[in-house]
């Protein structure tokens, strides 16, 4: 039995299947105004390598990367 490594498989140009697209991760800075689909408007108050902390006024949430529902205003 062989185990698979985490390496990406090569996409052949002649393949009828579309290659997997890596999602582009947005980079947020401190004090950026942001909008979240569930929590509403907020401001970035903390930044880590794979997450940001956002103050939404009524609550503060840590949002991990990739930031699907979060966008910079």
């Amino acid at each position: 039995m062989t185990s698979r490594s985490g390496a990406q498989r090569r996409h052949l140009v002649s393949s009828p299947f579309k290659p997997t697209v890596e999602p582009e991760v947005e980079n947020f800075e401190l004090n950026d105004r942001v909008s979240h689909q569930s929590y509403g408007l907020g401001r970035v108050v903390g930044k880590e390598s794979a997450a940001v902390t956002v103050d939404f006024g009524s609550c503060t949430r840590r949002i991990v990367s990739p930031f699907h529902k979060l966008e910079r205003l």
Side-chain angles (χ1 to χ4, degrees), residues 22-27 65-67:
E22 292 291 324
E24 185 176 323
V25 178
E26 191 166 356
N27 187 16
S65 176
F67 313 103

Side-chain angles (χ1 to χ4, degrees), residues 15-26:
S15 174
F17 303 104
K18 292 183 180 180
T20 56
V21 178
E22 292 291 324
E24 185 176 323
V25 178
E26 191 166 356

Side-chain angles (χ1 to χ4, degrees), residues 57-69:
S58 61
C59 64
T60 301
R61 299 284 184 212
R62 182 176 178 265
I63 313 233
V64 294
S65 176
F67 313 103
H68 295 296
K69 297 181 178 182

Side-chain angles (χ1 to χ4, degrees), residues 13-51:
V13 177
S14 61
S15 174
F17 303 104
K18 292 183 180 180
T20 56
V21 178
E22 292 291 324
E24 185 176 323
V25 178
E26 191 166 356
N27 187 16
F28 294 100
E29 298 296 328
L30 290 177
N31 294 321
D32 277 351
R33 297 283 296 168
V34 293
S35 176
H36 191 275
Q37 290 178 3
S38 300
Y39 302 117
L41 297 175
R43 183 178 302 275
V44 176
V45 294
K47 180 180 172 186
E48 302 170 29
S49 61

